[in-house]
Structure formats: structure tokens, C-alpha cells
Amino acid sequence: MPEPTIPAPVDMAAEQFLSGVFAPTDGDHDATDLVVEGELPAGLAGAYLRNGPNVLFPPLGSYTYPLDGDGMVHGIWFEDGAVRYRNRTVWTPQLRAEVAAGHAIWAGIVTPYIPGPDVAPPALADDFKPLPDINVIRHAGRYLALAEVDSPVEITAELDTVGAYDFGGLIPGMCAHPRIDPLTGELFLFRYNIAEPFLVWSVVGADGTVTTPPQPIDTGGRSFMIHDFTITASSIVLFIGPLQFDFDAMFAGGDMLAWKPDLGTQVAVISRETGDVRWVQTDPFWVWHFANAFDRPTAGGGTEIVVDHTQWSRSMIAGDGPITGAITRSIIDPEAGTFRSEHFDDRGAEFSRIDDRLTGREHRHFITTTRTDAVPPGEKNLLQQIDTRTGTITSWDSGNHIFEEVCFMPGPGSEPGDGYYVTFRTDRTTLESDFVIVAADDVAAGPVARIPIPHRVPCGLHGNWFPAE
């Protein structure tokens, strides 16, 4: 059988998410004694770390944002009033092999090509390339750069790569969006797979010990992509939209993922105490990101689950036809098997976040990002704060400055819900970057502090605030 043809590199200048504010940066940078315009919160101490794709070479065949790309973590540290910045590549053996070769060896994830031993080092051939470029967390003293679904890569507090981490061999891979219960310190995670078991969930204790090894969930013999999930005090909640893997089609020249709306969306509600699964079926829709979920008593003496999230009429990476979005509250009654939704706003938005100190418990506010008409689709310049009690949406228009996810940063010594929103952003005209701090109780006023960064920080994906330990 002839060797498969190596795909041609993509034209990075022609790809929106490889150019402009998304273009990869040129290596590692360090900057100290950064200038603060405005006033930092008193006593601020800690670091904001954010991961995102930063390809070192033009990808082969295709580039699918936000799932493709080599990982790079950017960080900004606050200590005794001083501010510094650093970024570092998240290294994998595959990426080091590409650097040694001077070009990309692996293809984009939707391109049906895997290098053989004639192209890749034999120990790495005939396998996929890990892409730890989506999120970064800290748990049990470890910093982990997370892929869509793979083993995390451990990094140091200063962002240097340590290596792949599999929890002592007990968890071979995990999602990009684990949830940490702020009361118990437990890390909840799931993993989908293209082979059985197609979907599992696990729990890691506050000390880093695996307390619940991977537990399979019956998906009817199908493999689905699931980007995010959420938890309550009692349950693990997985929304399984009808985005199904079809590798036979991919290797026949078709699409790797198929949108199958006839399957509807299934919700798995898993008891944190017993592991029992209850299923709720509803109409098809897609969710990238959840803000939070919590248990709420019903008038009949039962318990329903309230979930705040952004949603889409279908996935952007599969299916045909128009897409509509909404900022949504879903209410699930697992015992009755019912599902209903309310919309705070009928517009496309993403990157729902809360104050993580309220994860799994009732929250009042959450945020999303979207855009004004001043910037093109695919770029975001508008922060929205949703008040779930009143339905009011308060916005901050960042103008020409583009950002992706915005993270909550607690005020030093504050109560849950009190604090600030923080993010890197980049001016789409000048390509100059900064870091901004917006007071959560006055979003419309814009930044209380702005910190120019001496080089461009590409738009990236998920980040978190880590208070000084």
C-alpha cells in the first residue's frame, strides 16, 4: 500500500485564526516592572495564567480553531505592587520533533493524515499529536496545561514544561474543562474517546489522589464530542449534544464529526454520592461552555438543577445552515425527566464564567463575551454581565481591543461574588496588547487598571486566577 500523501501546509495569512490578533507570537518573552495605568486592588497577590494555540509551524492540511494548535501559556504576576509578565511554549515530544525537523510533521485534527515512521520518529509515528493548548489549572500544587481530550502536561509555576501527567497511570486522559469544588477541593473531570469506553468520569481528591477512577457512561455505542460540563453540590451534569465522531467517513475523505439532530441532546445527571446516572432527553442544541450549576428545591419537595450557559442551535464545526445563539438558563428535574430553558438574551455569546468560589452553588452573576458590529465575526470586544435575579445585562464595550475569555479575580479578602474581571486583549489595528482589570460591581465603567504589555499577546482561550499560596 502506498504511503499517504503528506498534506501541504496551510496559508497562515489566509486563515483568520492564524493572522491578525490571533497570529502566533515569536517565542518566549519576559517583562518585569510593568507600568500600571490606574490603580491595582490593594493587597493583590497572585498570577493570572492563560493558555491558547500558538503554532510554531504552518499546520499541514487544515487548521480548526479553537481545537488545533500548539500550546502556549501567558502569565502576569502581582506581588507587593510589582507586576511582571512571562510566556512559555507547552512542550510535547511531537512538538520537539517538529522543531528538530524545522517544519510541521502532524496535520490539523480534521485532516485524515497521521505520519508514519518514514516521516516521524518511530516512537511517535502512527499516532495523533497532543495539543495541550486550551486551558491551564492548578490543583493539589500542580499546574496542568490541558488539551481538548488527552493527558495534561504539567508545567511549573514559572511555566516551564515538566512533562505529560496521568495521575500515576490511573487517568490516561481528561477534558479541557475540569471543575474544582471550592468546598471539598475535589477535581471532577470527564473524558470522551473514539474507542470504548466512549465516555468516562473521574474524581481526584484535594491532595491529588484519584478517589474515583474512570467510570464509564453508556452512550449507546456512540462517540460524541463534549467540550465542557458542570457540577452541583450533589451531581455531575453532562450535556451530550448530537455531535458524533465518524472516523470511517473521515478516512474516506469526509468529515470527522457529524451533526445528527435526530438524536437530540441528552443530559446525564450523575450522583456524586452513588455514581447512579439519570438521563433527561431534550431537543438538539450545542454547548461549548457552562457558567455554573446548582441544586434548587422545588415546590413539591424535590430538587431541580439550574444550569447557566451559552448555547447554539448547532455546532459550528459540523452541520449545515444558519446558527443562532442564546445566553441561557436550563432547568432540569432529574426525577421527573424534564428539561426546560429560558433565555436571558437571544444572541451569540461565549466563555461563560462566574466567581469560581461559587462553583456548584447558587450564584447571582455570570459573564459572557460577544462582539459589537464594529468588529468582524469571530472576534470579541464586548463583555456582558448577566444578573440572574433581575435579568439585567450590563456591558462594557472594549472598542478595537479584542479578547476571548474573561476570568473572575476575587478581591483580596473579599466575599464570593466580590472582585474583578481580568483578561489580556489586543488592539486589532495596532496589534498592541494589554491586561485589564474591570470591577465586577461596575462593569460598564471599564477598566480600573490597565497594564500595557511590551509585545503582542495573541488572542487565546482559557485562563484562571491563582492567588499566591
Side-chain angles (χ1 to χ4, degrees), residues 26 265 300:
D26 55 347
T265 288

Side-chain angles (χ1 to χ4, degrees), residues 307-311 325-330 341-345 366:
V307 186
D308 286 338
H309 57 94
T310 53
Q311 75 173 45
I327 303 172
T328 303
R329 168 161 284 189
S330 295
S341 291
E342 309 161 352
H343 291 174
F344 293 106
D345 194 41
F366 71 99

Side-chain angles (χ1 to χ4, degrees), residues 117-174:
D118 58 322
V119 176
L124 305 176
D126 300 319
D127 203 353
F128 294 96
K129 177 186 179 182
L131 301 172
D133 66 338
I134 293 183
N135 200 357
V136 56
I137 65 168
R138 181 176 72 187
H139 184 255
R142 296 182 186 273
Y143 292 82
L144 302 176
L146 306 181
E148 168 65 16
V149 54
D150 212 328
S151 291
V153 174
E154 184 178 359
I155 60 175
T156 68
E158 292 292 320
L159 312 186
D160 298 311
T161 297
V162 177
Y165 184 71
D166 62 4
F167 299 88
L170 296 177
I171 299 179
M174 62 179 284

Side-chain angles (χ1 to χ4, degrees), residues 72-209:
M72 177 175 280
V73 178
H74 301 257
I76 188 162
W77 285 259
F78 300 85
E79 185 177 12
D80 297 329
V83 186
R84 64 184 176 92
Y85 164 90
R86 162 179 281 218
N87 70 294
R88 291 294 184 270
T89 295
V90 182
W91 290 100
T92 65
Q94 290 81 355
L95 183 55
R96 294 189 188 278
E98 290 183 325
V99 169
H103 58 79
I105 296 174
W106 280 264
I109 62 168
V110 301
T111 298
Y113 169 81
I114 299 176
D118 58 322
V119 176
L124 305 176
D126 300 319
D127 203 353
F128 294 96
K129 177 186 179 182
L131 301 172
D133 66 338
I134 293 183
N135 200 357
V136 56
I137 65 168
R138 181 176 72 187
H139 184 255
R142 296 182 186 273
Y143 292 82
L144 302 176
L146 306 181
E148 168 65 16
V149 54
D150 212 328
S151 291
V153 174
E154 184 178 359
I155 60 175
T156 68
E158 292 292 320
L159 312 186
D160 298 311
T161 297
V162 177
Y165 184 71
D166 62 4
F167 299 88
L170 296 177
I171 299 179
M174 62 179 284
C175 60
H177 287 286
R179 298 280 168 164
I180 299 174
D181 186 316
L183 299 186
T184 68
E186 293 171 295
L187 177 74
F188 292 81
L189 55 96
F190 73 90
R191 183 194 187 193
Y192 63 82
N193 200 358
I194 60 175
E196 292 190 30
F198 295 116
L199 181 61
V200 300
W201 62 276
S202 308
V203 185
V204 181
D207 63 354
T209 301

Side-chain angles (χ1 to χ4, degrees), residues 301-349:
T303 300
E304 62 186 8
I305 294 173
V306 179
V307 186
D308 286 338
H309 57 94
T310 53
Q311 75 173 45
W312 302 91
S313 55
R314 68 166 172 85
S315 168
M316 298 81 160
I317 56 179
D320 299 311
I323 302 178
T324 57
I327 303 172
T328 303
R329 168 161 284 189
S330 295
I331 298 96
I332 306 161
D333 187 329
E335 187 170 346
T338 60
F339 183 102
R340 70 184 192 275
S341 291
E342 309 161 352
H343 291 174
F344 293 106
D345 194 41
D346 290 315
R347 76 171 78 185

Side-chain angles (χ1 to χ4, degrees), residues 15 76 94 107 154 163 292-293 325 393 433 446 468:
E15 290 281 344
I76 188 162
Q94 290 81 355
E154 184 178 359
N292 189 39
I393 297 179
S433 298

